[in-house]
Protein backbone atom coordinates (compact mmCIF):
# COMPACT_ATOMS: atom_id res chain seq x y z
CA UNK A 1 0.00 0.00 0.00
CA UNK A 2 1.35 3.39 -0.87
CA UNK A 3 2.20 5.70 1.92
CA UNK A 4 2.39 9.45 2.23
CA UNK A 5 4.25 11.63 4.59
CA UNK A 6 2.12 12.48 7.56
CA UNK A 7 2.35 15.80 9.35
CA UNK A 8 4.87 15.28 12.15
CA UNK A 9 7.25 13.06 10.23
CA UNK A 10 5.29 9.70 10.01
CA UNK A 11 3.65 8.06 7.05
CA UNK A 12 0.01 7.61 6.20
CA UNK A 13 -1.78 5.26 3.87
CA UNK A 14 -2.94 6.76 0.66
CA UNK A 15 -6.69 6.60 0.20
CA UNK A 16 -8.03 4.11 -2.25
CA UNK A 17 -5.45 1.47 -1.43
CA UNK A 18 -3.84 1.93 -4.76
CA UNK A 19 -0.20 2.04 -5.42
CA UNK A 20 -0.01 5.72 -6.38
CA UNK A 21 0.82 8.74 -4.34
CA UNK A 22 -1.81 10.42 -2.16
CA UNK A 23 -4.12 13.01 -3.87
CA UNK A 24 -3.87 16.57 -2.45
CA UNK A 25 -7.11 18.01 -1.05
CA UNK A 26 -8.86 20.61 -3.31
CA UNK A 27 -7.77 24.20 -2.60
CA UNK A 28 -10.14 26.23 -0.53
CA UNK A 29 -11.79 28.97 -2.56
CA UNK A 30 -11.61 32.40 -0.92
CA UNK A 31 -14.12 35.22 -1.30
CA UNK A 32 -13.58 37.58 -4.20
CA UNK A 33 -12.50 41.05 -3.35
CA UNK A 34 -15.63 42.64 -4.85
CA UNK A 35 -18.19 39.90 -4.38
CA UNK A 36 -17.41 39.24 -0.74
CA UNK A 37 -17.84 42.88 0.16
CA UNK A 38 -20.83 43.67 -2.03
CA UNK A 39 -23.27 43.55 0.84
CA UNK A 40 -21.14 45.90 2.92
CA UNK A 41 -20.81 48.32 0.01
CA UNK A 42 -24.57 48.21 -0.59
CA UNK A 43 -25.16 48.93 3.07
CA UNK A 44 -23.00 52.04 2.93
CA UNK A 45 -24.59 53.20 -0.34
CA UNK A 46 -28.17 52.58 0.76
CA UNK A 47 -28.60 55.82 2.78
CA UNK A 48 -27.21 57.87 -0.10
CA UNK A 49 -29.48 56.06 -2.57
CA UNK A 50 -32.49 56.67 -0.34
CA UNK A 51 -31.66 60.36 -0.11
CA UNK A 52 -31.09 60.52 -3.87
CA UNK A 53 -34.44 58.90 -4.50
CA UNK A 54 -36.30 61.07 -1.99
CA UNK A 55 -34.69 64.40 -2.91
CA UNK A 56 -34.04 63.98 -6.64
CA UNK A 57 -35.78 61.06 -8.34
CA UNK A 58 -39.16 61.41 -6.64
CA UNK A 59 -39.43 65.20 -7.27
CA UNK A 60 -38.47 64.67 -10.92
CA UNK A 61 -41.04 61.94 -11.36
CA UNK A 62 -43.76 63.91 -9.58
CA UNK A 63 -42.98 67.04 -11.64
CA UNK A 64 -43.30 65.07 -14.86
CA UNK A 65 -46.59 63.60 -13.62
CA UNK A 66 -47.92 66.98 -12.41
CA UNK A 67 -47.06 68.69 -15.70
CA UNK A 68 -49.91 66.83 -17.43
CA UNK A 69 -52.59 68.24 -15.12
CA UNK A 70 -54.28 71.63 -14.90
CA UNK A 71 -53.90 74.23 -12.17
CA UNK A 72 -56.17 72.39 -9.76
CA UNK A 73 -54.44 69.07 -10.34
CA UNK A 74 -57.74 67.23 -10.58
CA UNK A 75 -57.98 66.81 -14.35
CA UNK A 76 -55.69 66.55 -17.32
CA UNK A 77 -54.65 69.75 -19.03
CA UNK A 78 -55.98 70.41 -22.50
CA UNK A 79 -54.70 68.71 -25.67
CA UNK A 80 -54.70 65.28 -24.07
CA UNK A 81 -52.64 66.35 -21.07
CA UNK A 82 -50.12 68.35 -23.08
CA UNK A 83 -51.91 71.67 -22.65
CA UNK A 84 -49.25 73.02 -20.32
CA UNK A 85 -46.52 72.27 -22.85
CA UNK A 86 -48.58 73.95 -25.56
CA UNK A 87 -48.85 77.03 -23.35
CA UNK A 88 -45.08 77.13 -22.87
CA UNK A 89 -44.54 77.57 -26.60
CA UNK A 90 -47.48 79.89 -27.19
CA UNK A 91 -47.38 82.30 -24.24
CA UNK A 92 -45.37 85.43 -25.13
CA UNK A 93 -43.92 85.85 -21.64
CA UNK A 94 -42.62 82.27 -21.52
CA UNK A 95 -41.30 82.51 -25.07
CA UNK A 96 -39.35 85.61 -24.01
CA UNK A 97 -37.89 83.55 -21.16
CA UNK A 98 -36.86 80.81 -23.63
CA UNK A 99 -35.18 83.33 -25.94
CA UNK A 100 -33.39 85.01 -23.05
CA UNK A 101 -32.18 81.63 -21.80
CA UNK A 102 -30.75 80.95 -25.25
CA UNK A 103 -28.89 84.28 -25.11
CA UNK A 104 -27.61 83.46 -21.64
CA UNK A 105 -26.36 80.00 -22.66
CA UNK A 106 -24.51 81.34 -25.70
CA UNK A 107 -23.11 84.62 -24.37
CA UNK A 108 -22.43 84.29 -20.64
CA UNK A 109 -20.30 81.08 -20.63
CA UNK A 110 -18.40 82.17 -23.74
CA UNK A 111 -17.52 85.62 -22.41
CA UNK A 112 -16.64 84.34 -18.92
CA UNK A 113 -14.43 81.59 -20.35
CA UNK A 114 -12.73 83.96 -22.80
CA UNK A 115 -11.99 86.46 -20.05
CA UNK A 116 -10.75 83.69 -17.77
CA UNK A 117 -8.41 82.48 -20.53
CA UNK A 118 -7.07 85.99 -21.16
CA UNK A 119 -6.55 86.66 -17.47
CA UNK A 120 -4.81 83.31 -16.90
CA UNK A 121 -2.43 83.75 -19.83
CA UNK A 122 -1.59 87.41 -19.24
CA UNK A 123 -0.93 87.00 -15.51
CA UNK A 124 1.21 83.88 -15.90
CA UNK A 125 4.51 85.75 -16.10
CA UNK A 126 3.95 88.83 -13.99
CA UNK A 127 5.05 89.08 -10.39
CA UNK A 128 1.69 90.41 -9.21
CA UNK A 129 -0.28 87.72 -11.07
CA UNK A 130 -1.29 85.92 -7.87
CA UNK A 131 -2.69 89.11 -6.33
CA UNK A 132 -4.59 89.88 -9.52
CA UNK A 133 -6.08 86.39 -9.61
CA UNK A 134 -7.14 86.73 -6.00
CA UNK A 135 -8.94 89.99 -6.73
CA UNK A 136 -10.68 88.57 -9.84
CA UNK A 137 -11.69 85.40 -7.99
CA UNK A 138 -12.97 87.28 -4.93
CA UNK A 139 -16.52 87.86 -6.33
CA UNK A 140 -17.02 84.09 -6.16
CA UNK A 141 -17.13 84.48 -2.38
CA UNK A 142 -20.17 86.77 -2.72
CA UNK A 143 -23.62 85.23 -2.84
CA UNK A 144 -25.88 85.80 -5.82
CA UNK A 145 -28.20 87.80 -3.57
CA UNK A 146 -25.43 90.19 -2.50
CA UNK A 147 -24.13 90.49 -6.07
CA UNK A 148 -27.63 91.31 -7.28
CA UNK A 149 -28.01 94.09 -4.71
CA UNK A 150 -24.57 95.47 -5.63
CA UNK A 151 -25.32 95.62 -9.34
CA UNK A 152 -28.81 96.99 -8.79
CA UNK A 153 -27.03 100.02 -7.32
CA UNK A 154 -24.29 99.99 -9.98
CA UNK A 155 -26.91 100.24 -12.74
CA UNK A 156 -28.93 102.97 -11.01
CA UNK A 157 -30.08 105.57 -13.54
CA UNK A 158 -29.08 108.60 -11.43
CA UNK A 159 -25.35 109.28 -12.10
CA UNK A 160 -24.97 110.47 -8.51
CA UNK A 161 -25.88 106.98 -7.28
CA UNK A 162 -25.15 104.55 -10.11
CA UNK A 163 -21.46 103.88 -10.73
CA UNK A 164 -21.99 102.76 -14.32
CA UNK A 165 -23.78 105.95 -15.30
CA UNK A 166 -21.38 108.12 -13.30
CA UNK A 167 -18.50 106.75 -15.39
CA UNK A 168 -20.49 106.94 -18.62
CA UNK A 169 -21.60 110.53 -18.04
CA UNK A 170 -18.04 111.50 -17.07
CA UNK A 171 -16.66 110.11 -20.33
CA UNK A 172 -19.49 111.71 -22.33
CA UNK A 173 -18.98 115.12 -20.77
CA UNK A 174 -15.26 114.92 -21.49
CA UNK A 175 -15.92 114.91 -25.23
CA UNK A 176 -19.20 116.85 -25.35
CA UNK A 177 -20.46 120.04 -23.78
CA UNK A 178 -22.24 119.28 -20.55
CA UNK A 179 -23.59 122.71 -19.62
CA UNK A 180 -27.32 122.95 -20.02
CA UNK A 181 -30.10 124.81 -18.28
CA UNK A 182 -33.29 122.81 -18.82
CA UNK A 183 -36.54 124.63 -17.97
CA UNK A 184 -34.76 128.00 -17.89
CA UNK A 185 -36.99 130.78 -19.25
CA UNK A 186 -37.45 134.57 -19.16
CA UNK A 187 -40.19 136.35 -17.26
CA UNK A 188 -42.68 138.57 -19.13
CA UNK A 189 -40.91 141.65 -17.73
CA UNK A 190 -37.54 140.51 -19.10
CA UNK A 191 -36.05 141.87 -22.34
CA UNK A 192 -36.28 138.39 -23.88
CA UNK A 193 -39.04 136.60 -25.73
CA UNK A 194 -39.55 133.15 -27.24
CA UNK A 195 -38.09 132.74 -30.73
CA UNK A 196 -39.46 129.28 -31.55
CA UNK A 197 -37.80 125.89 -31.29
CA UNK A 198 -36.89 126.47 -27.64
CA UNK A 199 -34.69 129.53 -28.28
CA UNK A 200 -35.08 133.05 -26.88
CA UNK A 201 -34.24 136.39 -28.51
CA UNK A 202 -34.02 140.00 -27.30
CA UNK A 203 -37.02 142.22 -27.98
CA UNK A 204 -34.86 145.09 -29.26
CA UNK A 205 -31.52 145.22 -31.15
CA UNK A 206 -28.44 145.84 -29.02
CA UNK A 207 -26.12 148.83 -29.42
CA UNK A 208 -22.41 149.30 -28.80
CA UNK A 209 -21.75 151.10 -25.53
CA UNK A 210 -24.97 149.83 -23.96
CA UNK A 211 -24.64 146.62 -21.87
CA UNK A 212 -27.03 143.81 -22.86
CA UNK A 213 -28.91 142.12 -20.03
CA UNK A 214 -30.13 138.53 -20.51
CA UNK A 215 -31.90 137.49 -17.29
CA UNK A 216 -33.48 134.06 -16.86
CA UNK A 217 -35.37 132.19 -14.16
CA UNK A 218 -36.34 128.55 -13.62
CA UNK A 219 -32.81 127.20 -13.22
CA UNK A 220 -32.65 124.56 -10.47
CA UNK A 221 -29.74 124.85 -8.03
CA UNK A 222 -28.51 121.41 -9.14
CA UNK A 223 -28.30 122.64 -12.75
CA UNK A 224 -25.96 125.52 -11.96
CA UNK A 225 -22.35 124.48 -12.74
CA UNK A 226 -19.92 124.23 -9.86
CA UNK A 227 -17.69 126.91 -11.42
CA UNK A 228 -20.47 129.54 -11.46
CA UNK A 229 -19.68 132.82 -9.73
CA UNK A 230 -21.87 135.73 -8.58
CA UNK A 231 -23.17 137.63 -11.57
CA UNK A 232 -21.41 140.87 -12.49
CA UNK A 233 -22.76 143.86 -14.38
CA UNK A 234 -20.63 144.38 -17.52
CA UNK A 235 -18.72 147.54 -18.24
CA UNK A 236 -19.84 149.36 -21.41
CA UNK A 237 -17.60 148.94 -24.46
CA UNK A 238 -17.66 151.45 -27.31
CA UNK A 239 -16.08 148.96 -29.70
CA UNK A 240 -18.46 146.03 -29.15
CA UNK A 241 -21.30 144.52 -27.22
CA UNK A 242 -20.91 143.44 -23.61
CA UNK A 243 -23.57 141.79 -21.54
CA UNK A 244 -24.49 139.40 -18.74
CA UNK A 245 -26.50 136.19 -18.76
CA UNK A 246 -27.55 135.42 -15.21
CA UNK A 247 -30.15 133.84 -12.95
CA UNK A 248 -32.45 136.72 -12.04
CA UNK A 249 -33.51 135.20 -8.73
CA UNK A 250 -32.51 136.08 -5.19
CA UNK A 251 -32.83 133.41 -2.55
CA UNK A 252 -35.03 134.44 0.34
CA UNK A 253 -36.79 137.09 -1.72
CA UNK A 254 -35.84 140.61 -2.58
CA UNK A 255 -33.82 141.71 -5.57
CA UNK A 256 -34.89 143.80 -8.52
CA UNK A 257 -36.00 142.29 -11.86
CA UNK A 258 -33.69 143.01 -14.80
CA UNK A 259 -30.96 144.15 -12.40
CA UNK A 260 -27.82 142.22 -11.55
CA UNK A 261 -27.94 141.77 -7.77
CA UNK A 262 -24.90 140.79 -5.74
CA UNK A 263 -26.32 137.43 -4.58
CA UNK A 264 -27.48 136.27 -8.01
CA UNK A 265 -25.48 133.71 -10.00
CA UNK A 266 -24.02 133.93 -13.46
CA UNK A 267 -24.83 131.26 -16.03
CA UNK A 268 -21.44 130.10 -17.31
CA UNK A 269 -21.31 128.41 -20.67
CA UNK A 270 -24.44 130.11 -21.97
CA UNK A 271 -24.12 130.56 -25.74
CA UNK A 272 -25.12 133.98 -27.10
CA UNK A 273 -25.56 134.61 -30.84
CA UNK A 274 -25.83 137.95 -32.63
CA UNK A 275 -28.36 137.65 -35.48
CA UNK A 276 -28.83 140.07 -38.38
CA UNK A 277 -31.27 139.42 -41.20
CA UNK A 278 -31.64 135.81 -40.04
CA UNK A 279 -27.87 135.16 -40.10
CA UNK A 280 -25.53 134.66 -37.15
CA UNK A 281 -22.80 137.31 -37.35
CA UNK A 282 -21.08 136.67 -34.01
CA UNK A 283 -21.09 134.16 -31.16
CA UNK A 284 -19.86 134.31 -27.58
CA UNK A 285 -20.05 132.26 -24.40
CA UNK A 286 -20.73 133.60 -20.95
CA UNK A 287 -17.99 133.31 -18.36
CA UNK A 288 -18.24 132.09 -14.80
CA UNK A 289 -19.84 135.41 -13.77
CA UNK A 290 -22.18 135.40 -16.79
CA UNK A 291 -20.35 138.21 -18.64
CA UNK A 292 -19.87 137.86 -22.42
CA UNK A 293 -18.36 140.07 -25.13
CA UNK A 294 -19.29 140.31 -28.81
CA UNK A 295 -17.36 142.17 -31.56
CA UNK A 296 -18.49 145.37 -33.25
CA UNK A 297 -20.23 143.32 -35.96
CA UNK A 298 -22.97 142.58 -33.40
CA UNK A 299 -23.97 146.28 -33.24
CA UNK A 300 -27.63 146.55 -34.20
CA UNK A 301 -28.25 142.80 -34.05
CA UNK A 302 -30.71 140.82 -32.00
CA UNK A 303 -29.16 138.58 -29.37
CA UNK A 304 -30.39 135.02 -29.39
CA UNK A 305 -30.01 132.26 -26.81
CA UNK A 306 -30.13 129.08 -28.96
CA UNK A 307 -32.13 126.05 -27.88
CA UNK A 308 -28.92 124.07 -27.15
CA UNK A 309 -28.59 126.14 -23.98
CA UNK A 310 -31.77 124.61 -22.63
CA UNK A 311 -31.37 120.98 -23.50
CA UNK A 312 -31.75 118.35 -20.80
CA UNK A 313 -28.49 117.43 -19.11
CA UNK A 314 -27.09 114.09 -20.33
CA UNK A 315 -28.15 111.52 -17.77
CA UNK A 316 -26.39 108.39 -18.99
CA UNK A 317 -27.76 105.08 -20.24
CA UNK A 318 -30.87 103.31 -19.06
CA UNK A 319 -29.01 100.10 -18.18
CA UNK A 320 -32.09 98.48 -16.69
CA UNK A 321 -34.40 99.49 -19.51
CA UNK A 322 -36.16 96.90 -21.69
CA UNK A 323 -33.43 96.76 -24.34
CA UNK A 324 -30.32 96.58 -22.11
CA UNK A 325 -31.49 94.78 -18.98
CA UNK A 326 -30.45 91.29 -20.13
CA UNK A 327 -26.92 92.32 -21.27
CA UNK A 328 -26.53 94.28 -18.03
CA UNK A 329 -27.40 91.26 -15.90
CA UNK A 330 -25.12 89.04 -17.99
CA UNK A 331 -22.35 91.55 -17.25
CA UNK A 332 -22.88 91.07 -13.51
CA UNK A 333 -22.77 87.28 -13.97
CA UNK A 334 -19.49 87.50 -15.90
CA UNK A 335 -18.06 89.68 -13.12
CA UNK A 336 -18.78 86.87 -10.66
CA UNK A 337 -17.75 83.83 -12.71
CA UNK A 338 -14.78 85.03 -14.77
CA UNK A 339 -12.61 84.35 -11.71
CA UNK A 340 -13.84 80.76 -11.54
CA UNK A 341 -12.93 80.24 -15.20
CA UNK A 342 -9.55 81.92 -14.69
CA UNK A 343 -8.56 79.68 -11.77
CA UNK A 344 -9.42 76.44 -13.60
CA UNK A 345 -7.69 77.56 -16.79
CA UNK A 346 -4.64 78.74 -14.84
CA UNK A 347 -4.38 75.28 -13.25
CA UNK A 348 -4.50 73.67 -16.70
CA UNK A 349 -1.98 76.18 -18.00
CA UNK A 350 0.47 75.29 -15.24
CA UNK A 351 0.33 71.63 -16.32
CA UNK A 352 1.22 72.30 -19.97
CA UNK A 353 4.58 70.88 -21.16
CA UNK A 354 6.85 73.90 -21.31
CA UNK A 355 9.21 72.27 -23.78
CA UNK A 356 6.55 72.47 -26.50
CA UNK A 357 6.02 76.19 -25.94
CA UNK A 358 9.75 76.91 -25.86
CA UNK A 359 10.35 74.79 -28.97
CA UNK A 360 7.75 76.80 -30.84
CA UNK A 361 9.37 80.07 -29.77
CA UNK A 362 12.79 78.78 -30.82
CA UNK A 363 11.35 77.90 -34.23
CA UNK A 364 10.31 81.51 -34.66
CA UNK A 365 6.65 81.44 -33.65
CA UNK A 366 5.24 84.67 -32.27
CA UNK A 367 3.48 84.77 -28.91
CA UNK A 368 0.12 85.00 -30.68
CA UNK A 369 0.92 81.92 -32.77
CA UNK A 370 2.06 80.03 -29.68
CA UNK A 371 -1.17 80.99 -27.93
CA UNK A 372 -3.47 80.16 -30.84
CA UNK A 373 -1.81 77.00 -32.18
CA UNK A 374 -0.38 75.38 -29.05
CA UNK A 375 -1.75 76.82 -25.81
CA UNK A 376 -5.43 76.86 -26.74
CA UNK A 377 -5.49 73.35 -28.32
CA UNK A 378 -3.71 71.87 -25.30
CA UNK A 379 -6.16 73.64 -22.98
CA UNK A 380 -9.19 72.39 -24.93
CA UNK A 381 -10.20 69.79 -22.26
CA UNK A 382 -10.06 72.42 -19.50
CA UNK A 383 -11.95 74.95 -21.61
CA UNK A 384 -14.62 72.32 -22.27
CA UNK A 385 -14.99 71.69 -18.53
CA UNK A 386 -15.40 75.40 -17.82
CA UNK A 387 -17.87 75.94 -20.67
CA UNK A 388 -20.05 72.96 -19.74
CA UNK A 389 -20.08 73.92 -16.06
CA UNK A 390 -21.10 77.50 -16.83
CA UNK A 391 -23.73 76.39 -19.34
CA UNK A 392 -25.41 74.21 -16.72
CA UNK A 393 -25.13 77.08 -14.27
CA UNK A 394 -26.79 79.68 -16.50
CA UNK A 395 -29.64 77.37 -17.46
CA UNK A 396 -30.89 77.67 -13.89
CA UNK A 397 -29.99 81.35 -13.35
CA UNK A 398 -32.60 82.99 -11.16
CA UNK A 399 -31.20 85.14 -8.35
CA UNK A 400 -29.51 87.85 -10.39
CA UNK A 401 -32.46 88.35 -12.73
CA UNK A 402 -34.98 88.45 -9.89
CA UNK A 403 -33.01 91.01 -7.87
CA UNK A 404 -31.46 93.27 -10.53
CA UNK A 405 -34.35 93.61 -12.99
CA UNK A 406 -36.97 96.14 -11.79
CA UNK A 407 -40.55 94.91 -11.72
CA UNK A 408 -41.44 96.98 -14.78
CA UNK A 409 -38.93 95.12 -16.99
CA UNK A 410 -38.93 91.64 -15.46
CA UNK A 411 -40.93 90.38 -18.42
CA UNK A 412 -38.15 91.63 -20.72
CA UNK A 413 -35.39 90.08 -18.57
CA UNK A 414 -37.35 86.90 -17.88
CA UNK A 415 -35.61 83.50 -17.88
CA UNK A 416 -36.99 80.00 -17.44
CA UNK A 417 -36.02 79.61 -13.78
CA UNK A 418 -37.63 82.94 -12.93
CA UNK A 419 -40.73 82.05 -14.93
CA UNK A 420 -40.85 78.72 -13.09
CA UNK A 421 -40.98 80.63 -9.80
CA UNK A 422 -43.57 83.11 -11.09
CA UNK A 423 -45.79 80.39 -12.56
CA UNK A 424 -45.62 78.22 -9.46
CA UNK A 425 -45.79 80.79 -6.68
CA UNK A 426 -46.94 84.05 -8.28
CA UNK A 427 -50.29 85.77 -8.05
CA UNK A 428 -51.83 83.48 -10.70
CA UNK A 429 -50.04 80.31 -9.65
CA UNK A 430 -50.44 77.32 -11.97
CA UNK A 431 -48.44 74.35 -10.74
CA UNK A 432 -49.15 72.51 -13.99
CA UNK A 433 -47.38 75.16 -16.08
CA UNK A 434 -44.63 75.46 -13.47
CA UNK A 435 -44.04 71.70 -13.57
CA UNK A 436 -43.95 71.77 -17.37
CA UNK A 437 -41.29 74.51 -17.27
CA UNK A 438 -39.23 72.45 -14.81
CA UNK A 439 -39.43 69.46 -17.15
CA UNK A 440 -38.32 71.68 -20.03
CA UNK A 441 -35.33 72.83 -17.99
CA UNK A 442 -34.47 69.19 -17.26
CA UNK A 443 -34.62 68.34 -20.96
CA UNK A 444 -32.34 71.27 -21.76
CA UNK A 445 -29.78 70.17 -19.17
CA UNK A 446 -29.71 66.49 -20.25
CA UNK A 447 -27.82 67.05 -23.57
CA UNK A 448 -25.17 69.07 -21.75
CA UNK A 449 -24.83 66.36 -19.13
CA UNK A 450 -24.57 63.64 -21.78
CA UNK A 451 -21.83 65.60 -23.53
CA UNK A 452 -20.01 66.01 -20.22
CA UNK A 453 -20.24 62.28 -19.38
CA UNK A 454 -18.93 61.30 -22.81
CA UNK A 455 -16.08 63.74 -22.48
CA UNK A 456 -15.13 62.33 -19.06
CA UNK A 457 -15.21 58.75 -20.37
CA UNK A 458 -13.09 59.72 -23.33
CA UNK A 459 -10.56 61.33 -21.00
CA UNK A 460 -10.47 58.21 -18.80
CA UNK A 461 -9.72 55.96 -21.78
CA UNK A 462 -6.58 57.89 -22.64
Amino acid sequence: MATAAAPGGGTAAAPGGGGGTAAAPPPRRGKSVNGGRGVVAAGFLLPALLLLGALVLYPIGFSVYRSFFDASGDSLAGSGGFGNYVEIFSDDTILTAVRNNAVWVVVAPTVATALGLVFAVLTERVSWGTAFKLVVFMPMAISMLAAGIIFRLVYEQDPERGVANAVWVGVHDTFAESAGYPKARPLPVHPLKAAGGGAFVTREPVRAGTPALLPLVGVAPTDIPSDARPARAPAPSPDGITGTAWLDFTRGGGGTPNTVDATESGLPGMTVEAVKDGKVVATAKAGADGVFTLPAAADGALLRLPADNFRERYNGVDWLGPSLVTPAIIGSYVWMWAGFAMVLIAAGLAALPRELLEAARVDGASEWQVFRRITVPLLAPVLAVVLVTLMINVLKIFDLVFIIAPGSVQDDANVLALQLYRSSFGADADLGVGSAISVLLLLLVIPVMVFNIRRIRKENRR
Side-chain angles (χ1 to χ4, degrees):
M1 179 169 51
T3 60
T11 59
T21 59
R28 184 178 179 181
R29 298 183 62 186
K31 294 182 180 180
S32 67
V33 175
N34 294 330
R37 300 179 182 176
V39 176
V40 177
F44 278 106
L45 290 176
L46 184 60
L49 293 175
L50 291 177
L51 285 175
L52 181 66
L55 301 180
V56 178
L57 297 181
Y58 173 75
I60 290 175
F62 182 79
S63 296
V64 174
Y65 168 80
R66 185 65 179 83
S67 67
F68 294 105
F69 289 84
D70 59 12
S72 65
D74 298 328
S75 57
L76 290 174
S79 303
F82 290 92
N84 294 324
Y85 293 95
V86 173
E87 183 173 349
I88 288 178
F89 296 102
S90 58
D91 184 88
D92 291 338
T93 302
I94 302 178
L95 285 176
T96 300
V98 174
R99 287 194 294 267
N100 286 342
N101 254 105
V103 173
W104 271 89
V105 170
V106 172
V107 176
T110 304
V111 175
T113 304
L115 282 178
L117 177 61
V118 171
F119 291 158
V121 172
L122 293 183
T123 59
E124 185 185 17
R125 298 184 179 182
V126 295
S127 58
W128 45 267
T130 302
F132 178 83
K133 291 175 183 177
L134 178 63
V135 172
V136 175
F137 185 75
M138 196 174 296
M140 283 293 298
I142 303 175
S143 68
M144 286 283 194
L145 173 64
I149 295 173
I150 291 171
F151 275 88
R152 180 66 181 267
L153 296 175
V154 167
Y155 292 133
E156 186 72 36
Q157 178 68 39
D158 185 357
E160 295 184 359
R161 298 182 60 189
V163 175
N165 263 343
V167 174
W168 191 270
V169 170
V171 173
H172 173 274
D173 290 349
T174 301
F175 299 98
E177 295 181 5
S178 60
Y181 302 97
K183 300 180 182 179
R185 65 192 184 281
L187 291 175
V189 297
H190 286 160
L192 291 168
K193 64 179 181 178
F200 298 101
V201 66
T202 54
R203 301 177 187 272
E204 302 293 338
V206 293
R207 297 296 177 183
T210 302
L213 300 179
L214 305 179
L216 293 170
V217 296
V219 181
T222 55
D223 291 329
I224 297 179
S226 59
D227 60 343
R229 298 289 180 267
R232 179 173 61 86
S237 172
D239 300 327
I241 303 297
T242 58
T244 302
W246 85 100
L247 177 61
D248 193 13
F249 173 80
T250 302
R251 291 186 179 183
T256 304
N258 295 329
T259 300
V260 179
D261 296 307
T263 59
E264 294 173 346
S265 173
L267 298 177
M270 181 73 70
T271 301
V272 181
E273 297 176 343
V275 181
K276 284 184 178 180
D277 299 326
K279 296 181 179 180
V280 177
V281 296
T283 303
K285 282 188 178 294
D289 54 3
V291 175
F292 61 90
T293 302
L294 292 166
D299 186 26
L302 294 175
L303 298 187
R304 181 173 65 187
L305 302 179
D308 285 347
N309 289 313
F310 311 106
R311 69 185 185 278
E312 291 288 339
R313 189 178 299 274
Y314 183 70
N315 205 35
V317 178
D318 187 9
W319 298 103
L320 299 181
S323 58
L324 290 178
V325 61
T326 294
I329 300 174
I330 290 177
S332 66
Y333 178 89
V334 171
W335 175 77
M336 289 191 66
W337 287 87
F340 167 81
M342 178 194 65
V343 169
L344 290 188
I345 295 172
L349 194 62
L352 293 184
R354 298 296 166 179
E355 58 272 12
L356 292 180
L357 305 180
E358 295 303 327
R361 294 187 180 101
V362 170
D363 289 341
S366 64
E367 289 298 325
W368 169 247
Q369 290 173 324
V370 171
F371 172 77
R372 184 167 60 91
R373 296 182 178 273
I374 299 177
T375 304
V376 172
L378 290 177
L379 285 176
V382 178
L383 297 177
V385 170
V386 175
L387 273 173
V388 170
T389 303
L390 294 182
M391 287 175 66
I392 295 174
N393 187 268
V394 300
L395 278 172
K396 56 183 182 180
I397 192 71
F398 165 79
D399 319 59
L400 287 178
V401 181
F402 183 72
I403 296 168
I404 295 178
S408 58
V409 296
Q410 276 202 354
D411 284 346
D412 300 286
N414 201 12
V415 290
L416 285 174
L418 177 59
Q419 185 59 40
L420 168 61
Y421 169 80
R422 296 169 69 181
S423 296
S424 301
F425 307 105
D428 300 322
D430 188 336
L431 291 179
V433 175
S435 299
I437 295 175
S438 68
V439 173
L440 176 61
L441 273 173
L442 176 64
L443 294 177
L444 292 175
V445 170
I446 286 176
V448 182
M449 294 298 298
V450 170
F451 169 79
N452 204 25
I453 292 172
R454 288 183 176 179
R455 182 193 59 77
I456 292 173
R457 288 178 177 177
K458 184 178 179 180
E459 289 293 324
N460 291 336
R461 285 195 295 265
R462 290 181 178 178

